[in-house]
Amino acid sequence: MPPDAMVASFRQQADACGRLGSPLYAALLERAADDVAAGGPCAEAVAAHAEAAAADAVPLRLAGGVHALALTGRAPRLAAHYPSAGGVFDSGNAAAAWPAFREAVAAELPWLRAWLARPPQTNEVGRAVMLLVGLLSVLPRPQLPVRLFELGSSAGLLLRADQYRYVSDAFTWGPPDSPVRLTEAWRGEVPDWLRQAAARSPALRVVERHGCDPDPIDPLSPGGALALRAYLWPDQLARAARLEGALSVAAKVPATVEAAGAAEFLAGVQLETGTMTVVWHSVARQYIDPAEWARVERELDRLARAATADAGFAYLSFEPHEREGFCLTVRTGRAGERHLAVAPAHGLPASWHGPG
């Protein structure tokens, strides 16, 4: 990524953070862009990524690494500004944390360079809303055993989506005692098809939870949990609370995430009689090489052709859409795709399309 492109990448990410409700990161990444342009510590931190593509999310890597420094006590002056680390965010002066941010980068360059070698993995728990709703919409009968397979799983938190509680003014679903409560999950009236699907299946029978990721995170390890916490945004405590709940669920509900590419992983998936096989992913497509994605589509077509009344198959994706923001797309068996819902990138709140 040429220097001008790197600066532009930081500014674009600052704008995105502002639109997605993080004034702290909007201010810090805008100033980090200036620092990169001026050849400051931020430029030194990201220098090894001169060939990076926009999808490599270098600004989020740097922000996540610096957040990890605050969370672990290595940047106490910065932690004083980060609510996630027990600090206080001055909403009237969002840039107040910048001197401490820049100081942390300058003091921890070797550590940050090592951190930046790994791609960001938020494993955003809020996206479970869209995937769960898609699953309810395709399940042909209650208590049919479901086999979940996820592409780009990161830590596998979304493989436990049925263990979370979904709440809106007019609709709830999921275990009442779940430590994960996805509140304000829906915008506007809940459609009849969703009410009916949820009433038919107040609980799901998930018998397999398998995922893949080129660099999976173990959510039960200290390093894995730190990475997940660090890639959240420090002034968004609701997201942090969801993550903490999801980590406690992960400790009780097993799921397997293989270190494998998406196409390789799917090639080993076969349908099974008496079950519903579901392949899903969320905001993962951009990280998969186009040539590999072509192989993924061939494997999805193979599974769709193999589907029968006794061995079902569904494909759910929550990804950017050229006209509708982030869109939940559903495909069952050999049927065509349907767009069921749209939501912001973090999955909350959702709004609906058509009859499902």
Side-chain angles (χ1 to χ4, degrees):
M1 188 182 300
D4 288 349
M6 182 67 78
V7 172
S9 178
F10 271 83
R11 298 201 194 285
Q12 289 164 4
Q13 187 61 59
D15 179 68
C17 289
R19 286 186 283 105
L20 290 170
S22 178
L24 175 59
Y25 264 7
L28 289 178
L29 290 177
E30 186 64 38
R31 281 154 183 80
D34 294 338
D35 196 62
V36 171
C42 292
E44 295 181 62
V46 303
H49 298 270
E51 302 301 321
D56 292 326
V58 173
L60 286 181
R61 295 189 193 204
L62 180 61
V66 177
H67 191 189
L69 293 174
L71 291 172
T72 56
R74 296 179 66 139
R77 285 191 65 230
L78 182 62
H81 297 275
Y82 276 16
S84 58
V88 177
F89 169 50
D90 181 358
S91 59
N93 182 12
W98 168 246
F101 184 100
R102 189 177 189 274
E103 175 186 278
V105 174
E108 296 281 2
L109 280 172
W111 191 91
L112 285 170
R113 287 172 181 142
W115 178 280
L116 265 66
R118 183 172 189 164
Q121 296 190 36
T122 305
N123 211 190
E124 175 56 52
V125 177
R127 293 171 187 151
V129 172
M130 302 297 273
L131 299 175
L132 186 280
V133 165
L135 179 51
L136 288 175
S137 77
V138 301
L139 197 64
R141 62 180 185 273
Q143 292 300 298
L144 177 66
V146 174
R147 304 165 67 228
L148 286 180
F149 296 89
E150 184 177 30
L151 310 181
S153 291
S154 184
L157 301 183
L158 297 179
L159 286 168
R160 285 94 165 179
D162 60 303
Q163 299 296 309
Y164 305 156
R165 182 72 167 173
Y166 302 84
V167 180
S168 73
D169 290 340
F171 181 81
T172 57
W173 190 93
D177 59 349
S178 174
V180 178
R181 292 183 61 82
L182 296 164
T183 59
E184 300 181 357
W186 294 279
R187 178 191 296 117
E189 185 175 355
V190 176
D192 289 342
W193 64 263
L194 177 55
R195 293 179 188 277
Q196 294 164 6
R200 287 195 307 269
S201 300
L204 299 178
R205 184 182 171 195
V206 180
V207 296
E208 292 186 48
R209 304 173 194 269
H210 292 165
C212 71
D213 197 280
D215 192 8
I217 289 178
D218 178 1
L220 304 184
S221 71
L226 173 62
L228 293 170
R229 292 179 177 118
Y231 276 118
L232 296 181
W233 300 349
D235 53 342
Q236 296 190 331
L237 295 183
R239 293 176 69 197
R242 293 196 291 266
L243 173 60
E244 295 307 317
L247 292 175
S248 67
V249 170
K252 299 175 182 178
V253 180
T256 300
V257 181
E258 301 176 16
E264 172 191 357
F265 174 72
L266 275 184
V269 176
Q270 305 292 333
L271 305 188
E272 290 188 4
T273 301
T275 70
M276 183 77 171
T277 298
V278 177
V279 174
W280 72 24
H281 56 83
S282 61
V283 196
R285 172 69 183 85
Q286 68 196 63
Y287 300 110
I288 300 175
D289 180 83
E292 181 177 9
W293 189 255
R295 294 170 53 207
V296 167
E297 291 183 329
R298 289 195 291 271
E299 294 297 339
L300 291 171
D301 288 341
R302 172 184 63 82
L303 292 168
R305 291 194 301 271
T308 67
D310 295 325
F313 171 70
Y315 167 54
L316 314 176
S317 70
F318 176 57
E319 298 287 347
H321 188 275
E322 59 184 4
R323 295 188 305 276
E324 298 178 285
F326 287 76
C327 184
L328 171 65
T329 302
V330 176
R331 172 182 172 186
T332 53
R334 304 182 188 187
E337 292 185 344
R338 295 174 292 147
H339 293 175
L340 283 191
V342 293
H346 295 155
L348 295 168
S351 56
W352 304 113
H353 279 246

